[in-house]
Every structure is written in structure tokens, then in C-alpha cells.
Amino acid sequence: MNQTSKVYVNVLGIASAVGLLFWLIDGYFEFIFFHQNLTFLVLEGPETLMESLVFQVPMHSLFVRLSFVVACVICGFIVAVFLSRRKKTEALLKENEQKFRALIRTIPDLIWLKDQNGIYLACNSRFEHFFGAKEKDIIGKTDYDFLDKDLADSFRKHDAIVMAKGKPSINEEEIIFADDGHREILETIKTAMYSNDGQLAGVLGIGRNITERINLQAQFIQSQKMESVGRLAGGVAHDYNNISSIIMGYTELALEKIEQSDPLYDYLMEIYTASKRSTDITRQLLAFARQQTIAPIVLDLNDTIEKTLKMLCRLIGEDIDIKWFPKAELWPIKIDPSQINQILVNLCVNARDAIANVGKVSFETKNISFDEAYCADHVGFIAGEYVLLAVSDDGSGMSPKTLDKIFEPFFTTKGIGKGTGLGLSTVYGIVKQNNGFINVYSEPEKGTTFKIYLPRHFGDIGLTTHEDDLEIPLSRGELVLLVEDDPSILKLGERILTVLGYNILSTTHPTEAIQLANESPGTIDLLITDVVMPEMNGRELSEQLLSHHPNLKVLFMSGYTANVIAHRGVLEDGVHFISKPFSKKDLAVKAREVLDDTKGYENFSAHQKSLNQGDKETSEDSF
Ligand code: ADP
Ligand code: MG
């Protein structure tokens, strides 16, 4: 039975009972009158109580009693209608209140009400959760009970403006929690609140936590900035490389022609050292711009670090204690080992500079994986399996302002002549080029930890090693075809190769190179070609020559990574490459290596196809 029917049954029941009660009372009194022999009043009256109540009710009494019962039932009906309506309204109100409460509870924003004096009247569970207090402990208090005075003052001021204007107002409010000092940013909409009679009653506040959005925005802006700075740096480094090649190469040749006793010898030495230094700077810029050409190999990070540790100890000095915490069974990674050295050296030099007197630097490695859920909650993390390299120091640490800028090239807090501001930008570029990511944790006066995540390598684990040749290898009478569109570099190359004993054919035009090769009486052993040339790129030239001279070996040279021979700066196996600027020794070693490589051509031609395809996908430059 529903609520309304229940009301009807109950009320009508009571009304009928009242009617019947009247009937009984009336009958009873009538009987008493007859019992006392008042028969003169009624000629034919009932003789027993039962007759008076039921069997012998006189007509006039029957009429009166029935009328009363009917009247009672009608009244009962009216009352039942009224009551059931009231019940319905009450139920509706209750339902609405529950819906309203559920709505307020479910809204993912913070909601609160304050009176005109800033005293909290109500708040929702989000608000409770955000401030870590229950509603009962919040109601009756003001912001001054929870927050520091300056912040509470600013909230109070904002509330007052809203009440004075009578219009909603949007604001961004930064809240620093006193207990642990963490910072959250709320976007708030405050509205003046009025009572039913139109009197100002206080302020309704709705707040949304936008901390994560603000952090993501900042990260996005930062990465865009790094990208444009990277493009600029890469472009400058590219042009500068050609000039450095010429200065370094000719100085080297000139140094060989004069005696050490000659007064010009020292001058030339100075030029040579300076050009080497400028080459180092362009290398770092190219690393940052992710245009450093690299030859990655599969390696064990622990082994690579262990080989470098001794050198790092010397670099850091005796006052700083080096701690090494390698985790066993590290996953393999694929990276150019020289880049690991670049990372370690740069981080160590910075740690040394950050430690005033005595301190410690620790290196740690371990395997680590992040899933999508973890990355959704942690800004700056990318899902996947990684090998972590953490470098920590207990030095000066950094302020948040410095931290924002450390990866930008030329940002330094060190004095003139002390810092170049290229260390961390190099590290950043290297990590990005290898599809990893880097996070920094630092606190002033406490220290700094750099965490570098390099992706796990799946596939062959053919660990390779590098050798250091000390001798300058000479020619065995081979014939070299040299193609370079910049005449000064062409001339320099000719001179170096001649000194090394090679026979040379040279040209600035690829088409002329094909002609020279076809007309040459002797077999050409090695093609050394620039990659980016106006008429035809180096790869196209090599392909054309290889179709007629299948035993030809090829060495590419370029100032930066061209996608013609590499994917995102990573050389394919079997492709030989020398980066400009190069020294005489670099070219001698590389030329010999290519000429002595027996399987180079097969590998190279096997990769032509994949490069052709890859080029279409990455025809834009690789940054
Ligand atoms: P440089 O070392 O030439 O200044 P980097 O790019 O290597 O350039 O570093 C940029 C800046 O970052 C430094 O000038 C320094 O302020 C800060 N920095 C880097 N590493 C640390 C560290 N371990 N501790 C404190 N500050 C550091
Ligand atoms: Mg540095």
C-alpha cells in the first residue's frame, strides 16, 4: 500500500469510528431514558440496550445518527485529502534536498558559503578534502583560523569587493599550505549571496584546482622555447662548423710546415687551440639541437660508467667523495658511449662547482618502468621501461627561478670565464635525442639530483667496443674522389689527403664527379662526399656512382646530421660518416677505416631502401 492510500485508510477509519462512537453514545442515552420508565416521552421505545443500539432504533434517531456518521466520513475524507497532499509535498522536498546534497557532494569543485563577516556557513566534501578538515570544524571559523595572515587578508579583500559589486568575480588564488609548504592554485568564482528578503547574506565561493593545468602549460611553454632556441643554435652551429673546419685545417697544415723555433709557431698554436675550443662549443650546441651525429651501440650503463669513474674522480678533486650505487642486471640501452661521457662530465663539473669545500657526489643506476596511470599523475614522466641514471650532490642547490632556466643554452649563474651555460643544454639534447627524459630535484642549501631516464633497448645485445688509434694511418696508394661544394673546404681536403699520400680527383660539382669517375683510367677506391649540395645530394651521387663502380667505398661528411644519411641524427649501420670540422688525424683514421671495411658496401646498400622510405617520413629536419 502506498503512502497516500495509507493516509486515506487511517483517516477514514478514524472518522468512521468517531461516527459509530456517537451512535453508541446516543443509543446508550436513549436506553437510559426508557429504562427509567420515561415511556411517556416515547410511545414505542426499546426495552433492552441491544434494541436501543441496533434493533429498535426509532426513525428520528436513525436519521440523526446516520447523518452524523456520514458527516464524520466526509470530514475524514477532506482531512485525508489535505494530509496526503502535505505528505506528498514533504516527500518531494526531502527528495529534492537529497538530490541537491548529492549534487553538491559530487561536484568536483570546491564550494563554500561565508557570511558577511567571512565566517564559514557551509562547505562541500571537496573543500573538506582540499583543506584537510571536516565541515563541522570549518563552520563558524574564518580564513584567519586556517591560513597565514597575508593570504587570509587577500581572501577577505576579494570577498569584500564581490559583496560591494554584487556581481560574480573570477580570481586565481595561490594557496601555500603551512604544514608542508606545498603550493596549489585555485581558480575561484565568488558571488554575493542574498537572503529571500533581498538582504546581503554573504559570499558563495566555487573553486577549481588548476595546479596541474598550470604546471602542464608551463612545461609546454618551456619545451616550445627550448625547441626554438634549439633550431637557432643548430643553424648557427652548422654555418660556424664550416668556418671552424677551414681555420683548424689550415692551421694544422701550416704548423707542419714550420719549425717549432719559428716565432710564428706559437701564434699558430694559439689559433689552433682557439679553433679547437670553438669546435667544442659548436659540438655542444649541436648536441643541444639534437643534430649531433651519433653512432649508438648497445651497452650496459654500469660498465660504461665504471670505465669513466676514475677520470671523473680526477675531474672532481680529492675533497669530494664519489659514491657509486649500481643495481645489478641493468637492462641494455642503445646510445653512443661518448654521449654517456658527455652527460657524466657535465653533471660532475656542475656538482663540483656547486660544492663549496667538502661534499659528496653519488651516481646511482637502476631499472624502472612507468605505466600510463603513473604518468597521468606525474608531470614530466613518459610511460615505458627505462634505465635510470641519477647523479646527486649535496652542494648549493638551486632556487625555483634558476631551475626554470638551467637547460637553456648560455644560461649560467657562474661568473664570466667560469661557466659557458652549455653543460646542461648538452645533457638535455643528448637525453632527448635518445628518446629519454630528464627531471631535476633541487633545494637551496640542500643539494641537487638529476634523474635521467634512458629507454630500455629491446633486440640484439651485441655489445661493441671502441678503439683509440694513436698513429695517423697513411694511404696505401688508393685513389680518392673528393666532392665538396665549398671550395675552401675542398682545397683543405685535397691538401690533407695529399699529405696522407692519397691520389686525388676532386670537384665542387656532383655531375662533374660522375664524369671524372667515368673517365678515370684507374679504379676509384673511395668517394668522400659532402652530404648537402645544391645539384644533387651526397647519397644520390653515391648511388649513381655505385651502379657503375660496385666496389667503391663511400665516406660522407657534413657539418650536421642530414636526414639523407641518418634518421633523427642516428646513423644507420654500414654508413660511414665524418662530421665537420675534422682534423687531419680524424680524416686519416676515418678514410682508412672505410677502405679497410670489407662488409661496408653490403650493409650500406641494404640500408639505401630503408633510408629512402625513412626520408619521406622525416623530410623535415630532426629537431
Ligand atoms: P654552466 O655550468 O656553464 O654554468 P650549465 O648548463 O652546466 O652551465 O649549468 C647551468 C646552471 O645551472 C649553472 O650555472 C648553475 O647555476 C646551475 N646548476 C647546474 N647544476 C647544478 C648543481 N648540481 N647544483 C647547483 N646548481 C647547478
Ligand atoms: Mg656546467
Side-chain angles (χ1 to χ4, degrees):
M1 210 189 313
N2 67 23
Q3 207 66 20
T4 321
S5 319
K6 256 191 204 162
V7 171
Y8 276 95
V9 168
N10 288 343
V11 175
L12 286 176
I14 292 170
S16 314
V18 172
L20 284 175
L21 190 66
F22 170 77
W23 185 301
L24 292 176
I25 293 170
D26 191 49
Y28 179 69
F29 279 113
E30 214 171 292
F31 173 72
I32 287 177
F33 284 129
F34 286 117
H35 204 69
Q36 289 173 351
N37 290 327
L38 295 170
T39 41
F40 56 91
L41 285 176
V42 183
L43 290 177
E44 276 179 66
E47 302 228 327
T48 66
L49 180 59
M50 225 28 206
E51 278 175 358
S52 164
L53 289 180
V54 187
F55 301 116
Q56 250 189 1
V57 185
M59 273 317 279
H60 68 276
S61 300
L62 189 65
F63 177 74
V64 172
R65 285 180 206 172
L66 272 177
S67 305
F68 194 77
V69 169
V70 170
C72 280
V73 171
I74 289 171
C75 287
F77 185 75
I78 292 167
V79 169
V81 169
F82 175 75
L83 280 183
S84 77
R85 282 205 183 151
R86 217 175 103 166
K87 276 248 177 227
K88 255 191 202 161
T89 317
E90 270 174 11
L92 209 66
L93 274 175
K94 205 168 168 189
E95 198 185 325
N96 280 347
E97 191 187 321
Q98 272 170 355
K99 270 192 209 156
F100 179 71
R101 280 189 181 277
L103 183 79
I104 298 286
R105 202 176 46 241
T106 324
I107 284 178
D109 289 338
L110 287 70
I111 298 178
W112 65 94
L113 300 176
K114 280 189 222 170
D115 73 6
Q116 287 189 66
N117 300 316
I119 296 172
Y120 280 97
L121 302 172
C123 68
N124 70 344
S125 43
R126 278 281 163 164
F127 189 95
E128 289 180 326
H129 187 248
F130 186 82
F131 284 102
K134 285 275 153 216
E135 189 181 16
K136 66 176 170 44
D137 302 320
I138 295 171
I139 290 175
K141 301 215 168 105
T142 67
D143 287 324
Y144 291 92
D145 296 310
F146 306 108
L147 306 168
D148 77 43
K149 190 179 169 301
D150 288 346
L151 197 57
D153 276 346
S154 81
F155 287 177
R156 190 82 197 94
K157 197 171 133 202
H158 191 211
D159 291 352
I161 293 171
V162 169
M163 285 189 280
K165 269 193 192 162
K167 275 198 253 164
S169 152
I170 301 179
N171 204 20
E172 237 173 56
E173 292 174 350
E174 187 183 28
I175 294 158
I176 299 163
F177 287 81
D179 46 357
D180 60 357
H182 88 277
R183 188 181 80 111
E184 303 271 354
I185 301 162
L186 282 185
E187 184 183 70
T188 61
I189 304 174
K190 289 181 178 171
T191 318
M193 186 172 61
Y194 297 94
S195 60
N196 287 342
D197 56 5
Q199 293 293 311
L200 183 67
V203 178
L204 158 72
I206 301 174
R208 178 163 293 179
N209 192 343
I210 54 165
T211 318
E212 203 173 319
R213 195 175 80 200
I214 295 277
N215 287 346
L216 277 175
Q217 262 170 3
Q219 214 187 26
F220 178 68
I221 292 169
Q222 177 74 0
S223 69
Q224 275 197 326
K225 189 166 73 181
M226 297 295 265
E227 211 164 293
S228 25
V229 176
R231 273 208 195 99
L232 176 72
V236 171
H238 174 217
D239 288 343
Y240 201 68
N241 253 344
N242 280 344
I243 301 166
S244 292
S245 298
I246 296 163
I247 299 173
M248 203 165 84
Y250 278 105
T251 317
E252 220 177 357
L253 289 175
L255 277 167
E256 277 172 13
K257 287 226 150 68
I258 59 169
E259 294 295 321
Q260 284 200 18
S261 52
D262 195 307
L264 285 180
Y265 189 88
D266 285 346
Y267 295 169
L268 285 172
M269 249 346 249
E270 285 296 322
I271 298 173
Y272 185 71
T273 325
S275 68
K276 264 224 162 285
R277 225 171 40 226
S278 76
T279 307
D280 286 344
I281 291 178
T282 33
R283 283 239 158 91
Q284 280 170 309
L285 275 177
L286 283 173
F288 169 68
R290 286 174 255 166
Q291 290 181 2
Q292 184 176 237
T293 309
I294 48 169
I297 58 168
V298 179
L299 53 81
D300 179 282
L301 185 60
N302 285 345
D303 287 353
T304 316
I305 294 178
E306 261 153 38
K307 279 186 202 146
T308 325
L309 272 181
K310 236 197 205 147
M311 183 268 286
L312 294 176
C313 286
R314 276 202 302 271
L315 188 75
I316 272 182
E318 282 166 7
D319 290 339
I320 298 172
D321 200 10
I322 287 196
K323 303 253 184 233
W324 168 224
F325 305 104
K327 277 265 157 58
E329 299 190 6
L330 224 50
W331 290 325
I333 52 172
K334 193 170 184 187
I335 188 169
D336 190 323
S338 67
Q339 291 192 309
I340 294 285
N341 287 349
Q342 277 177 294
I343 293 176
L344 291 170
V345 167
N346 282 314
L347 294 184
C348 272
V349 170
N350 284 346
R352 181 198 63 194
D353 294 348
I355 295 171
N357 299 309
V358 208
K360 63 173 187 278
V361 176
S362 66
F363 299 89
E364 189 196 338
T365 55
K366 68 173 176 190
N367 296 332
I368 196 157
S369 22
F370 305 113
D371 56 17
E372 297 290 348
Y374 183 89
C375 299
D377 286 349
H378 295 78
V379 176
F381 284 80
I382 304 164
E385 292 188 319
Y386 297 91
V387 173
L388 165 70
L389 162 63
V391 180
S392 313
D393 66 67
D394 57 359
S396 62
M398 286 172 264
S399 67
K401 233 174 155 183
T402 305
L403 261 181
D404 277 351
K405 294 214 162 73
I406 53 170
F407 293 119
E408 288 171 22
F410 304 114
F411 172 80
T412 179
T413 54
K414 298 168 192 172
I416 295 168
K418 282 193 181 144
T420 58
L422 283 171
L424 290 180
S425 49
T426 305
V427 173
Y428 178 88
I430 292 175
V431 173
K432 288 276 168 190
Q433 189 177 25
N434 288 285
N435 301 318
F437 61 96
I438 180 166
N439 286 329
V440 197
Y441 308 86
S442 187
E443 252 184 79
E445 307 311 323
K446 296 229 168 98
T448 306
T449 298
F450 285 89
K451 287 190 171 179
I452 291 171
Y453 301 88
L454 296 165
R456 174 184 184 175
H457 172 74
F458 293 93
D460 328 337
I461 311 184
L463 301 184
T464 351
T465 47
H466 266 312
E467 299 142 27
D468 253 345
D469 284 343
L470 290 173
E471 289 288 301
I472 296 187
L474 300 175
S475 147
R476 294 191 202 121
E478 289 96 341
L479 177 60
V480 175
L481 172 57
L482 180 66
V483 191
E484 160 68 62
D485 64 326
D486 184 326
S488 328
I489 296 186
L490 183 78
K491 221 151 100 196
L492 173 68
E494 279 170 11
R495 293 209 174 151
I496 293 178
L497 290 167
T498 313
V499 171
L500 294 171
Y502 288 98
N503 300 312
I504 306 157
L505 294 171
S506 66
T507 171
T508 48
H509 291 92
T511 39
E512 202 178 297
I514 296 170
Q515 207 179 335
L516 279 175
N518 292 339
E519 288 166 3
S520 159
T523 328
I524 296 173
D525 301 290
L526 175 65
L527 164 72
I528 301 180
T529 174
D530 191 12
V531 178
V532 184
M533 293 178 290
E535 264 176 18
M536 184 189 288
N537 73 41
R539 199 192 77 207
E540 286 161 354
L541 172 65
S542 72
E543 275 168 352
Q544 291 215 16
L545 288 175
L546 278 164
S547 58
H548 291 102
H549 309 271
N551 292 326
L552 181 73
K553 303 275 176 59
V554 182
L555 172 60
F556 293 106
M557 54 184 176
S558 179
Y560 67 110
T561 312
N563 284 324
V564 179
I565 53 157
H567 285 303
R568 297 187 178 279
V570 182
L571 280 182
E572 295 289 332
D573 294 339
V575 175
H576 294 287
F577 174 81
I578 185 165
S579 66
K580 292 186 217 167
F582 43 78
S583 67
K584 183 176 129 197
K585 185 181 158 196
D586 294 337
L587 185 60
V589 170
K590 204 73 209 184
R592 197 65 264 155
E593 190 186 302
V594 182
L595 284 165
D596 293 347
D597 180 10
T598 45
K599 56 179 181 15
Y601 170 67
E602 289 97 80
N603 279 342
F604 176 58
S605 16
H607 279 290
Q608 294 289 319
K609 269 192 199 146
S610 67
L611 282 172
N612 270 332
Q613 211 154 10
D615 249 15
K616 282 180 200 120
E617 289 154 20
T618 53
S619 57
E620 287 293 302
D621 215 347
S622 55
F623 196 83

